[in-house]
Amino acid sequence: MSVFMTFQLAGDAKGMEKFAQDNPEKMQAVLETAKRHGLIAHRFYGSEDGDHLLVLDEWPDRQSFEAFFQEVESE
Protein backbone atom coordinates (compact mmCIF):
# COMPACT_ATOMS: atom_id res chain seq x y z
CA MET A 1 0.00 0.00 0.00
CA SER A 2 1.38 3.41 -0.96
CA VAL A 3 1.65 6.44 1.33
CA PHE A 4 1.00 10.13 0.75
CA MET A 5 3.33 12.86 1.90
CA THR A 6 1.86 16.34 2.20
CA PHE A 7 3.82 19.47 2.87
CA GLN A 8 2.19 22.86 3.38
CA LEU A 9 4.04 26.09 3.95
CA ALA A 10 3.76 29.82 3.66
CA GLY A 11 5.55 30.95 0.55
CA ASP A 12 5.34 32.73 -2.77
CA ALA A 13 3.52 30.36 -5.14
CA LYS A 14 4.15 32.55 -8.20
CA GLY A 15 7.82 32.88 -7.25
CA MET A 16 8.11 29.10 -6.99
CA GLU A 17 6.51 28.68 -10.41
CA LYS A 18 8.93 31.24 -11.86
CA PHE A 19 11.88 29.46 -10.26
CA ALA A 20 10.72 26.17 -11.80
CA GLN A 21 10.33 27.80 -15.23
CA ASP A 22 13.74 29.49 -14.99
CA ASN A 23 15.52 26.33 -13.76
CA PRO A 24 14.06 23.38 -15.67
CA GLU A 25 17.27 21.34 -15.45
CA LYS A 26 17.38 21.64 -11.66
CA MET A 27 13.70 20.71 -11.35
CA GLN A 28 14.19 17.76 -13.69
CA ALA A 29 17.16 16.56 -11.63
CA VAL A 30 15.07 16.61 -8.44
CA LEU A 31 12.27 14.74 -10.23
CA GLU A 32 14.68 12.11 -11.54
CA THR A 33 16.10 11.63 -8.03
CA ALA A 34 12.56 11.20 -6.69
CA LYS A 35 11.74 8.65 -9.40
CA ARG A 36 14.88 6.68 -8.52
CA HIS A 37 13.55 6.46 -4.98
CA GLY A 38 10.13 5.27 -6.16
CA LEU A 39 7.99 8.41 -6.51
CA ILE A 40 4.57 7.41 -7.87
CA ALA A 41 2.93 10.83 -8.27
CA HIS A 42 3.70 14.47 -7.49
CA ARG A 43 1.42 17.50 -7.36
CA PHE A 44 2.24 21.10 -6.48
CA TYR A 45 -0.46 23.63 -5.61
CA GLY A 46 -0.42 27.34 -4.86
CA SER A 47 -3.18 29.09 -2.95
CA GLU A 48 -5.37 31.61 -4.76
CA ASP A 49 -3.84 34.44 -2.75
CA GLY A 50 -0.37 33.19 -3.75
CA ASP A 51 0.90 33.08 -0.17
CA HIS A 52 0.86 29.32 0.50
CA LEU A 53 2.22 26.20 -1.17
CA LEU A 54 1.08 22.59 -0.91
CA VAL A 55 3.04 19.57 -2.14
CA LEU A 56 1.29 16.22 -2.41
CA ASP A 57 3.41 13.16 -3.26
CA GLU A 58 2.59 9.48 -3.45
CA TRP A 59 5.38 7.06 -2.51
CA PRO A 60 5.52 3.28 -2.26
CA ASP A 61 6.37 3.57 1.45
CA ARG A 62 7.68 6.01 4.05
CA GLN A 63 11.27 4.77 3.74
CA SER A 64 11.35 5.64 0.02
CA PHE A 65 10.37 9.24 0.72
CA GLU A 66 12.83 9.53 3.61
CA ALA A 67 15.69 8.21 1.46
CA PHE A 68 14.82 10.74 -1.28
CA PHE A 69 14.57 13.61 1.21
CA GLN A 70 17.92 12.75 2.79
CA GLU A 71 19.60 12.71 -0.62
CA VAL A 72 18.24 16.07 -1.81
CA GLU A 73 18.73 17.70 1.57
CA SER A 74 22.43 16.83 1.51
CA GLU A 75 22.98 18.42 -1.93
Side-chain angles (χ1 to χ4, degrees), residues 9-20:
L9 66 150
D12 179 6
K14 287 183 174 45
M16 182 62 191
E17 286 184 40
K18 180 162 178 22
F19 177 84

Side-chain angles (χ1 to χ4, degrees), residues 11 13-14 17 45-53:
K14 287 183 174 45
E17 286 184 40
Y45 302 96
S47 63
E48 287 188 28
D49 64 9
D51 292 335
H52 293 87
L53 308 168

Side-chain angles (χ1 to χ4, degrees), residues 24-75:
E25 58 287 333
K26 183 170 183 78
M27 300 305 288
Q28 188 63 37
V30 171
L31 180 59
E32 292 304 319
T33 301
K35 287 179 180 179
R36 268 198 334 272
H37 285 283
L39 178 69
I40 297 168
H42 168 77
R43 298 292 181 266
F44 169 82
Y45 302 96
S47 63
E48 287 188 28
D49 64 9
D51 292 335
H52 293 87
L53 308 168
L54 174 69
V55 177
L56 174 63
D57 286 351
E58 184 178 6
W59 294 87
D61 51 46
R62 180 180 176 165
Q63 295 79 9
S64 297
F65 167 72
E66 288 175 351
F68 159 75
F69 193 78
Q70 283 183 328
E71 184 174 337
V72 294
E73 188 177 49
S74 67
E75 292 179 355

